[in-house]
Amino acid sequence: EVQLVESGGGLVQPGGSLRLSCATSGFTFEDYLVAWVRQTPGKGLEWVSHISWGGGITYYAESMRGRFTISRDIPKNTMYLQMNTLEFEDTAVYFCAAGQWGGSTVAGYDKWGQGTQVTVSS
């Protein structure tokens, strides 16, 4: 059974950095996309980035491109989101999600973690 567990969230000042981790288990890496999705009261669920587990191909939402980097460590079954130059608007609960057909469509992911809070505040 696919399981995802996020960690690494916290409070950071604008311009600062955080690295989120998503520990994964229970799926065939080559067959899955693994994504970061964030949720705010104002924006709802917003796709941030995803990576093809087997191939390592990455995709980013425009507002995150150049600031965020998604990666995965296959031996550790862990996905990461390195977040740099954080802005107030990045404040959200960040979820990792997995699916075979998700892409940039949030509804395409059927396995979700519990989320980790990122708060950007001065």
Side-chain angles (χ1 to χ4, degrees):
E1 181 175 333
V2 174
Q3 294 187 343
L4 307 168
V5 181
E6 304 94 333
S7 62
L11 177 65
V12 64
Q13 293 184 333
S17 299
L18 284 174
R19 189 178 75 161
L20 307 182
S21 299
C22 174
T24 72
S25 63
F27 63 89
T28 302
F29 303 147
E30 293 81 0
D31 294 340
Y32 272 80
L33 308 176
V34 189
W36 289 101
V37 179
R38 66 188 186 185
Q39 183 174 34
T40 64
K43 296 180 180 180
L45 288 171
E46 179 186 22
W47 170 79
V48 173
S49 178
H50 75 264
I51 188 167
S52 58
W53 192 265
I57 302 170
T58 60
Y59 305 82
Y60 299 92
E62 287 295 332
S63 62
M64 273 65 79
R65 188 174 292 114
R67 299 188 299 123
F68 292 7
T69 303
I70 190 170
S71 62
R72 84 276 191 262
D73 186 330
I74 292 176
K76 294 182 178 180
N77 294 331
T78 302
M79 178 181 66
Y80 303 97
L81 184 68
Q82 178 66 48
M83 304 186 294
N84 299 324
T85 319
L86 285 162
E87 305 168 351
F88 292 119
E89 293 78 11
D90 296 317
T91 296
V93 177
Y94 284 73
F95 298 89
C96 57
Q100 292 183 304
W101 308 102
S104 62
T105 303
V106 172
Y109 295 93
D110 57 4
K111 304 295 182 182
W112 294 78
Q114 82 290 343
T116 185
Q117 176 70 48
V118 172
T119 302
V120 184
S121 177
S122 60

